[in-house]
């Protein structure tokens, strides 16, 4: 029997619900025929697909980063505002696509309000700089009375958009980025852009670019250099990471949460190193503003793309295993709730998205939709540290020997509810789980995602092939909740005391 202990004394931190964020980039069919398709049977008068809006609300997304991604580093925001018939068609260098500019700043803000999400904005620090970032901020956030906000009003938005979180560029460490910079070059530009933006609105939350992934040769050093310049000016440092099975090594892929966990710890350590150097009282937090499973080995890379009109790009179809990994990555983000305050599942629709659409057709939930939606719906306001003992371990080529179980829990004191999120990362062995509890607890429900066919996927014709299933037999007996976790499975176990009180019962 594997024992998982939850105790109210083991508080990691309050849950910032912005960790249930996502990402919309002008890339492939994320915007066009994804969230925006005038003429679609469900389109509203703005051209927003209502079928997609409904799925976005069901997904439980809280915040969405926009407009890129690599796209933002060669984007002129002015192209995307004003009368649509006067907006230019423009070559986007990032994805070598013709950007029609029929959807831009004002449309995304209007869409966000309908979806019930808070927009996070990225500024172009690739081909542009301080002036354009400040002008976009003025256009968005200032009341009427000067040229730029007056232009917004003339374009139909009387009230300021009031965007609170701004990313200072995107992946500026990456040689693929248009306007790629050295750490020193980026640090100076980010410092001065942050300075100028704070003069417009001192209360903004600013995100400095961290590394594009933990495998970058400058990982760690990039963060140090950037933060030594910007520590007092920014609130968060960004992290990006995409995971996929490498060379058929599914065991390591199922344990990808180890990689995310180690990356977060490394960035926290670097931020705290700079804090010490500066003798600062301020604690920097993390914005994991791009993460997901992405089969990059199937992608030819930007330079392999022919210039074309907007069309499908990296529309990965996700399996059961992919959903289990996405669930485990969300667990990892919660395990770092003290430092990770924003996270964005990249991307939202079609482009490595939890939602897929057909142009002029159907919309459906991919497998990865389900662990995200359930975690967003049932995670309570306080994240608790879980302690697992007596459980099996698995051997992985990438991370060595690691525990099979990966878990976290949340507590909602107001309703006396504990939610346990746990993944069995073993490919072959089930785990018998025991959770000791204080008297009075009962199981509300146990939902799980697994399948005999771990490669099963959802499609337009079979959209519910992979859905969470209710697990029978999970119950509280003699003060402990017992459950069986099949191999390669994701779980949500909801427990209630029936009243507002503390959990616990460590034997
Ligand atoms: O999400 C796809 C791309 O991945 C983004 O444009 C970029 O920021 C990252 O490399």
């Amino acid at each position: 029997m594997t024992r998982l202990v939850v105790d109210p004394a083991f508080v990691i931190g309050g849950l910032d619900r912005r960790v249930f964020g996502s990402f919309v980039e002008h890339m492939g069919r994320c915007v066009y025929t994804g969230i925006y398709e005038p003429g679609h049977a469900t389109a509203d008068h703005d051209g927003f697909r209502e079928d997609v809006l409904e799925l976005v609300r069901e997904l439980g997304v809280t915040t969405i980063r926009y407009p890129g991604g690599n796209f933002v580093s060669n984007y002129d925001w002015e192209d995307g505002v004003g009368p649509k018939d006067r907006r230019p068609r423009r070559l986007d260098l990032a994805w070598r696509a013709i950007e029609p500019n029929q959807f831009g700043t004002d449309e995304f803000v209007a869409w966000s309000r309908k979806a019930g999400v808070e927009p996070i904005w990225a500024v172009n620090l690739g081909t542009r700089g301080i002036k354009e970032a400040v002008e976009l901020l003025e256009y968005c956030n200032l009341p009427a009375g000067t040229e730029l906000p007056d232009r917004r009003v003339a374009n139909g938005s009387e009230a300021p958009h009031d965007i609170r979180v701004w990313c200072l560029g995107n992946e500026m460490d990456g040689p693929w980025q248009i306007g790629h910079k050295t750490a020193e070059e980026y640090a100076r530009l980010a410092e001065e852009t942050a300075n100028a933006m704070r003069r417009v609105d001192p209360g903004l939350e600013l995100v400095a670019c961290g590394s594009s992934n933990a495998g970058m040769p400058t990982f760690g050093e990039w963060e140090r250099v950037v933060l030594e310049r910007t520590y007092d000016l920014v609130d968060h440092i960004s992290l990006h990471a995409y995971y996929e099975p490498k060379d058929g090594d599914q065991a390591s892929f199922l344990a990808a949460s180890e990689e995310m966990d180690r990356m977060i710890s490394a960035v926290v350590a670097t931020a705290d190193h700079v804090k010490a150097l500066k003798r600062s009282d301020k604690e920097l937090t993390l914005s994991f503003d791009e993460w997901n499973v992405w089969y990059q080995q199937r992608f030819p890379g930007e330079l392999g793309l022919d210039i074309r009109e907007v069309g499908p790009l990296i529309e990965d179809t996700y399996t059961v295993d992919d959903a289990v990994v996405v669930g485990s990555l969300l667990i990892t983000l919660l395990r770092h709730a003290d430092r990770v305050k924003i996270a964005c599942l990249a991307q939202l629709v079609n482009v490595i998205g939890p939602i897929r659409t057909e142009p002029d057709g159907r919309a459906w939930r991919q497998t990865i939709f389900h662990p995200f939606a359930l975690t967003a719906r049932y995670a309570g306001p306080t994240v608790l540290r879980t302690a697992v003992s007596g459980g099996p371990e698995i051997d992985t080529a990438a991370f060595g020997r690691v525990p099979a179980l990966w878990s976290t829990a949340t507590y909602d004191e107001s309703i006396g509810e504990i939610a346990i999120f746990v993944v069995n990362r073993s490919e072959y062995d089930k785990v018998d789980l025991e959770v000791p509890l204080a008297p009075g607890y009962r199981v509300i429900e146990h939902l799980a995602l697994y399948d005999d066919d771990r490669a099963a996927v959802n499609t337009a014709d079979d959209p519910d092939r992979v859905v969470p299933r209710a697990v029978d037999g999970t119950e509280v007996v003699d003060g402990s909740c017992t459950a069986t976790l099949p191999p390669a499975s994701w779980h949500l176990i909801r427990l209630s005391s029936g009243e507002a009180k503390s959990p616990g019962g460590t034997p």
Side-chain angles (χ1 to χ4, degrees):
M1 194 65 94
T2 302
R3 177 167 290 194
L4 185 153
V5 176
V6 197
D7 192 294
F10 298 167
V11 172
I12 294 176
L15 176 64
D16 191 323
R17 295 198 58 81
R18 295 180 299 177
V19 296
F20 302 120
S22 185
F23 173 42
V24 165
E25 175 167 9
H26 285 249
M27 176 180 179
R29 297 193 310 114
C30 188
V31 171
Y32 303 106
T33 72
I35 63 174
Y36 177 76
E37 190 175 356
H40 187 272
T42 71
D44 64 11
H45 68 271
D46 288 318
F48 305 156
R49 282 182 66 153
E50 279 288 358
D51 57 346
V52 174
L53 275 168
E54 264 174 41
L55 288 174
V56 171
R57 291 186 200 107
E58 182 187 324
L59 186 61
V61 168
T62 53
T63 186
I64 297 187
R65 181 168 168 257
Y66 174 85
N70 297 346
F71 173 83
V72 78
S73 296
N74 75 132
Y75 179 52
D76 291 352
W77 66 267
E78 301 88 338
D79 290 345
V81 297
K84 289 192 178 181
D85 58 356
R86 281 192 244 146
R87 298 186 193 176
R89 279 162 55 79
R90 188 83 72 189
L91 174 61
D92 157 40
L93 301 177
W95 306 114
R96 293 166 59 82
I98 308 294
E99 168 57 48
N101 280 309
Q102 293 302 292
F103 187 99
T105 299
D106 298 318
E107 286 81 21
F108 188 68
V109 171
W111 182 88
S112 302
R113 304 299 179 228
K114 280 192 181 164
V117 303
E118 205 52 47
I120 296 179
W121 227 267
V123 298
N124 175 356
L125 292 188
T127 58
R128 309 187 97 188
I130 304 166
K131 181 170 184 290
E132 296 86 355
V134 166
E135 287 178 353
L136 174 58
L137 174 61
E138 288 184 33
Y139 178 90
C140 288
N141 281 12
L142 290 189
T146 53
E147 202 272 329
L148 286 155
D150 285 352
R151 209 190 294 175
R152 181 196 68 238
V153 174
N155 289 337
S157 301
E158 176 70 40
H161 293 329
D162 195 26
I163 293 156
R164 305 315 308 157
V165 183
W166 293 77
C167 303
L168 301 169
N170 176 71
E171 295 190 351
M172 300 310 303
D173 62 325
W176 58 86
Q177 201 71 208
I178 307 296
H180 159 230
K181 293 176 175 46
T182 65
E184 288 76 11
E185 287 167 348
Y186 171 69
R188 280 290 294 134
L189 181 56
E191 180 181 26
E192 294 309 325
T193 306
N195 249 324
M197 290 176 80
R198 289 216 182 278
R199 292 209 175 206
V200 178
D201 185 343
L204 300 175
E205 271 182 68
L206 297 178
V207 186
C209 279
S211 297
S212 307
N213 60 71
M216 296 298 289
T218 47
F219 178 62
E221 182 63 358
W222 172 278
E223 283 77 2
R224 182 192 67 77
V225 172
V226 169
L227 289 178
E228 279 200 41
R229 282 273 175 202
T230 61
Y231 197 86
D232 296 331
L233 288 163
V234 302
D235 302 279
H236 317 277
I237 181 100
S238 75
L239 296 82
H240 290 183
Y242 294 99
Y243 307 91
E244 67 184 315
K246 299 205 175 85
D247 305 320
D249 179 3
Q250 208 66 14
S252 297
F253 177 57
L254 280 172
S257 37
E258 293 291 328
E259 193 174 330
M260 181 187 248
D261 189 57
R262 292 170 195 190
M263 183 182 189
I264 293 172
S265 297
V267 174
V268 166
T270 307
D272 288 350
H273 170 64
V274 176
K275 176 184 178 184
L277 292 176
K278 292 188 169 294
R279 280 74 170 149
S280 174
D281 289 332
K282 171 177 166 179
E283 187 166 80
L284 203 86
T285 49
L286 274 48
S287 172
F288 214 125
D289 47 41
E290 282 186 40
W291 69 271
N292 202 349
V293 170
W294 175 6
Y295 286 76
Q296 294 197 57
Q297 284 169 12
R298 296 177 192 156
F299 175 56
E302 295 86 345
L303 291 178
L305 302 173
D306 292 330
I307 293 176
R308 55 181 193 155
E309 300 288 331
V310 167
L313 209 53
I314 59 168
E315 298 196 357
D316 282 352
T317 298
Y318 290 115
T319 65
V320 173
D321 269 9
D322 296 334
V324 171
V325 169
V326 163
S328 73
L329 296 171
L330 269 169
I331 288 172
T332 313
L333 294 168
L334 295 191
R335 286 168 69 113
H336 288 278
D338 54 337
R339 298 301 286 270
V340 177
K341 298 297 172 187
I342 298 173
C344 304
L345 178 71
Q347 300 186 6
L348 182 66
V349 186
N350 291 327
V351 178
I352 47 172
I355 298 168
R356 280 284 284 278
T357 69
E358 294 172 323
D360 205 17
R362 300 166 283 185
W364 66 99
R365 303 164 191 81
Q366 292 233 58
T367 59
I368 63 170
F369 183 102
H370 297 293
F372 189 101
L374 288 171
T375 307
R377 185 174 319 151
Y378 290 114
T382 305
V383 182
L384 303 178
R385 195 177 307 283
T386 49
V388 175
S389 58
E393 296 185 324
I394 50 172
D395 286 310
T396 67
F399 314 111
R401 202 165 171 72
V402 297
L405 290 196
W406 189 245
S407 61
T408 191
T410 62
Y411 181 52
D412 187 340
E413 193 173 9
S414 67
I415 51 173
E417 187 171 321
I418 303 171
I420 297 172
F421 302 92
V422 56
V423 163
N424 179 2
R425 306 187 290 188
S426 167
E427 281 195 272
Y428 305 109
D429 298 320
K430 72 173 173 63
V431 174
D432 291 318
L433 185 71
E434 175 191 43
V435 184
L437 293 164
Y441 272 88
R442 65 181 174 84
V443 176
I444 305 172
E445 63 179 343
H446 175 180
L447 296 171
L449 200 124
Y450 61 94
D451 203 282
D452 287 343
D453 178 5
R454 289 166 41 201
V457 299
N458 292 339
T459 61
D461 289 334
D462 196 359
D464 294 325
R465 165 65 186 82
V466 181
V467 289
R469 50 176 96 187
V471 179
D472 294 331
T474 301
E475 53 190 0
V476 178
V477 177
D478 296 335
S480 283
C481 168
T482 53
T484 300
L485 315 183
S489 58
W490 173 90
H491 302 261
L492 161 63
I493 302 172
R494 295 173 59 213
L495 303 162
S496 171
S497 65
E499 56 182 288
K501 60 189 259 190
S502 295
T506 313

